[in-house]
Amino acid sequence: MAALTHDLQGADREGQVARFQHLRRREQWRYVLLLLPAVVFLIAFYGYPVAAMLTRAFYDPVPGLQNFEPLVTARSTVEFLGLSIPMNAYIRVFWITLQIAAVVTIVSLLLGYPVAYALSSVSASRANLLMIFVLIPFWTSILVRSYAWMVLLGKEGIINEALLAAGLRTEPLVLLNTRLAVYLGMIHIMLPFMILPLYAVMRGIDRNLLRAAGNLGAPPSAVFRRIFLPLSLPGVAAGCLLVFILSLGFYITPALLGGQKDVMVSMLIQQQISLLKWGFGAALALVLLILALGIYALFTRVLGVERVFGSART
Amino acid sequence: MTVAAQVRTPEKIGGLGARVLFDRIEKRYGPVIAVDEVSLDIAPGEFVTLLGPSGSGKTTSLMMLAGFEIPTAGEIYVDDDPIAAVPPYRRNIGMVFQNYALFPHMTVGENIAFPLQMRKIGRSEIARQTRDVLELVGLPGYEGRYPKQLSGGQQQRIAVARALVFNPRVLLMDEPLGALDKQLREHLQLEIKALHDKLGVTIIYVTHDQEEALVMSDRIAVMNNGRIEQCGGPTDLYDEPETRFVATFIGESNFIDGVLARADGAIGYVEAPGLGSLRAPLKPGIAAGSPVALTVRPEKIIAHDNGASSHLNTVDGTVADVVFVGEMRRYVVALPGGQRLVLKAQNRSGVQSFNRGDAIRVGWSVDDCRLV
Amino acid sequence: MIQRGLTRRELVRRYGAAAAGVALLGPRALSSVASAQEATPVALPEIPAIPAALKGSGNVVVASWGGAVLDAQLKAYIEPFQEMTGITVTVADGPDPSKVKAMVDTGNVEWDVVQLGRGDVLALDGYWEEMDYSLFDTANLDAALMRPDSFAMVLFAEILAYRTDAFPNAPEGWKDFWDVEAFPGSRTMPAAAQLPFLEGAVIADGVPMDEVYPIDIDRAFASFDRIKPHVVKWWEAGAQPAQMLTDNEVPLAVAFNGRITPVKEAGAPVDIQWNEGLLAEDDWAIVKGAPNRENALKFCAFCTLPAPQARFSMLIPYGFVNSKAAELIPADQLARLPTAPELRPKLFLRDEQWWAENRESVIERWNEWILE
Ligand SMILES: Nc1ncnc2c1ncn2[C@@H]1O[C@H](COP(=O)(O)OP(=O)(O)OP(=O)(O)O)[C@@H](O)[C@H]1O
Ligand SMILES: [Mg+2]
């Protein structure tokens, strides 16, 4: 008898829990409905074409995985830390791409952080004004900006002319068609993408926290190190992520400003498309996408973006 | 110090707190005067509340003391030393911010340890002091939690703990209870009060809740438009408001507008239209013939039916409205001259009750009213 | 404007025709293009009466690359064609092999005639209507250009371009281009997207121009090894070599003749060495299942008549395919065309068939090689 009551209670409880979960689910569905138009739009005009393109990797020209074969076929080996690693041009290009994206990200962060910090410490109206200068590059096409770098960096470009005129050099420096030129061109384009999320997060940092730290005895350097910097990390993470992933897909800048070996994955993809080897191009794009997603996952895990995000907004 | 002489001497003097003196402090933001010639002498260990409506300059005053705003004129002294040249992080003044300003990325323990780390105190000592101060605010064992895992009241206590842990001699609290519900607020008011009694630290407390100010403070400085309108003990402010603003802001008040007809010794005679001559204690600085308001608290007015009044100020009127609120009745009385009075009559036997439309004679003692 | 592969089309699609044509070229070259076109004499040769077989009715859809090429095509072919045949022409933009593939695969063919590189036509084997040459002016056409599934519409050359101020003697051919002692300085050559310039590599290594095909790929890459350290840029877009010559980034380049002529005429110290130049073609191809196949054939046939060919080459410096056109073009203009009677023998025709068979493996090898 006692056991029966107990069971009944248990069942009742479960029923209640289920009802509650049902209500919660209904609540969640309401939010999903709000997102629906955007989701439908994205699926129809972005998700579907991208998926259609990427799935070609598996059936164009014939079904199978042969499109991924060149990626894993070793053409040579490279000695690294005493290991001999199988190598081919495609792996190399992926490696170069990662390298370039990483350098661009780090330098953009180092340059962008102080700018965002300065912008976030002036009044909102002045910041809006100064923001125009950050955004101006946005309004110029990537091609024009790359060309501007060519004018600056060329053998007879402004920098070399100045160096020669000043007598600092007798021979022009080789600046154009180098990795350096790729970095410059890409960082120039990427800086706003770094500054904007940094700025957004920094603006959101409660100034009273900084005052509180000062009040508790922290000199300005400690206020920055212990309070501002950690609280700005979500912006750092978002900015780095954005810049890194956008950099992975760069095409025009390295093609125009880079040297012999500055080949990035997107140039390779472009080449395959022009060869009508869509399947292999799709395979390359798919690997790049997986790489980007993997890095995104790594970012959020390692930097704990979500945790920091959550706590910065108590 | 000329200012010190003007300010009332505090009744209670604690041991550990510091004296704080605002000497004709002014703060302008462009054309806006946020704080206007504020002078205030706070005795060591005193609990002083800055009370005023939003935008009256309370926070700005605290910020200048904490060092985050620089006065455009005047000087602040702590224990007779001017502090203008001392950067905020060396002022050693504890502060509880309006929204607590707990560091969201640090645990409770790290938050409380922060001021101690800045003072280069050893690890084990920090741990001990953290434990002690958490005990003091009634949250022992909370070291590992993050601020967002705490309720509003708990966050408030942690903010207090963090502001106290480095033994500041002055503690500033900017509406520390503003975000909490009424019950919790009342509970914490008493706790803060108890802490103050225990520690003897000088507390400057900011609120716009007059009840809170009355409950907690040794003295209240009522601020309005950047100025201190009146500063004094809770009873002084309630019973002897010097300005109409103070009378309105603290408690409920009736105002009868009239003209000061003449003065007779300590008594002034106010002519109010339709009400004849009313008497009130005379206040220096009001010349005969100038417009004046007579103010009297609702609970100090007594209602009769039509019998003779033993009170010195008596007026006849009609009950315009009655509200029964349990322990008392609240009447709105329409007076012949068109003015209105609110009065509160206790709900007990022997006190006559009235209905709407009844004729009513009300009166109050001359000593219970003030001219403003 | 004409070049192989999708590079330019990609740019157009993403950044608009102006960006692809202009931004890569830069302001200096841009103005020169404009002035070169304005300077072109308006007196285009009249088109004599056409065979009745070319006349008709209805419509034909022509997919052209647009831009300056289309402007020339409109004046040279399309407008007179409409007038003289009674067939209306609808110009579609962005001929793309993948679109052709999609159209044919889904049975939804919207285009009749498409302008494509011969390589692209070969790559889409089986997607084209057979060319019926019965309507064509076959007497004056090069039989080598009369493919079964497409017909050359225009010829352009990949030539050696150099700065006239860099060397005492002009480079004579690919041997000189490879000779970094006699002709010191950096080089720029096409990247894989434009097809690696294997032909130049083997000629530099001693293979006579008319024995280039089938290319000895190993020999070509060995030859590339020697020049590789001196190539500062493997260019992707046709505008780049012209730009680099003008900016004196390099004294020597492999470039398209149509890109060099404008900068030369604008006064840049740049010239073309026609010797051992590579002649490549853009073709008209008729999409399989084209709704207006008859009109499409008439259009192709009309375009290859001497007068329309001459008009086109006078409007834009690309070569004609009808040898009789040379008689209609003034001498000074003829001199800048790769198909001019004096120049044509210096050039050799790209073997598109060989490339169709080897392009993939060459580019794969190239990708490895470039990163070595
Ligand atoms: N940085 C500033 N720039 C311009 N005006 C300011 C600034 N800070 C405060 N003020 C103005 O100074 C006045 C006093 O502000 P303060 O914050 O001291 O008010 P408060 O009494 O604390 O009000 P609340 O109860 O709303 O917190 C207000 O009119 C405010 O608008
Ligand atoms: Mg405030």
Side-chain angles (χ1 to χ4, degrees), chain B residues 59 98 174-175:
Chain B
T59 299
Q98 210 158 349
D174 191 355
E175 305 205 24

Side-chain angles (χ1 to χ4, degrees), chain C residues 97-177:
Chain C
S98 59
K99 279 191 201 158
V100 173
K101 185 166 154 48
M103 283 183 191
V104 176
D105 287 347
T106 59
N108 188 18
V109 179
E110 290 168 18
W111 296 341
D112 297 307
V113 189
V114 179
Q115 175 188 358
L116 279 180
R118 175 67 193 156
D120 286 330
V121 177
L122 282 172
L124 278 179
D125 192 23
Y127 282 78
W128 311 107
E129 290 285 339
E130 200 181 316
M131 270 290 168
D132 176 359
Y133 286 103
S134 60
L135 291 171
F136 281 61
D137 178 25
T138 44
N140 299 308
L141 298 181
D142 182 346
L145 298 177
M146 294 162 60
R147 324 283 191 182
D149 50 4
S150 71
F151 185 82
M153 160 238 153
V154 64
L155 292 166
F156 56 97
E158 220 166 87
I159 41 72
L160 191 166
Y162 62 99
R163 277 188 72 96
T164 50
D165 57 0
F167 316 110
N169 307 309
E172 290 295 327
W174 301 120
K175 264 212 174 71
D176 288 350
F177 190 90

Side-chain angles (χ1 to χ4, degrees), chain B residues 29 32-35 52-61 69 98 174-175 206 208:
Chain B
Y29 295 104
V32 180
I33 304 183
V35 172
S54 194
S56 56
K58 308 181 296 288
T59 299
T60 309
S61 301
E69 299 287 357
Q98 210 158 349
D174 191 355
E175 305 205 24
V206 163
H208 57 240

